Amino acid sequence: MLKPEEKKLKLYYSISEVAQLFGVNESLLRYWEKEFPMISPKKAGGNIRQYRKEDIENIRLIYHLVKEKGMTLAGAKQRLKQNKESIVKTADIIDRLNEIKKELLSMRKELDYLN
């Protein structure tokens, strides 16, 4: 979900940046953090969460299973235990297809504008 140039620029992301990235509430991220030990942001002074790229990648997988595929949290936990690599590949493919769709829609819009 992060653009390649964003991945190189920042080591840590705030909870508000991550919530905005996925279009979810900060409270949902905090809840997922309790339910999925694989999400473990660094906590700075004042208990401020700092998410690393690994945390964001894990959130992306959970988001894919729960929000896009409609799985329960228990189901998502089970799937991640069973075959995380397969889920990573599927999520990567879906992200790439969504990028291609955006490009195609943009091209279509430009062509419609020219006609």
Side-chain angles (χ1 to χ4, degrees):
M1 305 239 17
L2 288 178
K3 296 175 186 162
E5 62 271 12
E6 287 182 75
K7 288 182 181 179
K8 295 176 187 170
L9 293 177
K10 294 180 82 171
L11 292 176
Y12 297 103
Y13 295 83
S14 70
I15 191 168
S16 61
E17 289 173 312
V18 177
Q20 185 177 12
L21 184 66
F22 290 97
V24 298
N25 293 326
E26 294 175 17
S27 59
L28 180 64
L29 292 176
R30 287 190 291 270
Y31 180 69
W32 283 356
E33 192 180 313
K34 290 177 188 169
E35 293 293 317
F36 295 90
M38 63 197 292
I39 303 172
S40 57
K42 179 181 169 187
K43 297 207 177 151
N47 234 6
I48 296 171
R49 289 164 171 80
Q50 296 179 323
Y51 292 85
R52 300 165 308 194
K53 289 180 278 185
E54 299 83 32
D55 295 316
I56 294 171
E57 178 62 23
N58 288 329
I59 291 168
R60 181 179 74 104
L61 296 177
I62 295 164
Y63 181 89
H64 168 70
L65 293 173
V66 175
K67 296 292 187 180
E68 295 175 343
K69 294 192 87 164
M71 296 182 80
T72 63
L73 292 184
K77 285 178 192 178
Q78 186 176 358
R79 285 287 305 275
L80 287 167
K81 280 183 189 174
Q82 289 174 344
N83 197 352
K84 184 176 177 180
E85 292 79 30
S86 173
I87 297 165
V88 170
K89 287 178 186 177
T90 302
D92 287 343
I93 290 168
I94 289 171
D95 285 347
R96 182 64 188 132
L97 288 172
N98 283 329
E99 288 174 24
I100 292 168
K101 180 181 177 181
K102 281 183 190 176
E103 287 179 42
L104 289 172
L105 289 172
S106 175
M107 288 177 186
R108 180 179 178 189
K109 191 175 184 178
E110 283 186 43
L111 288 172
D112 288 345
Y113 178 75
L114 293 174
N115 289 331

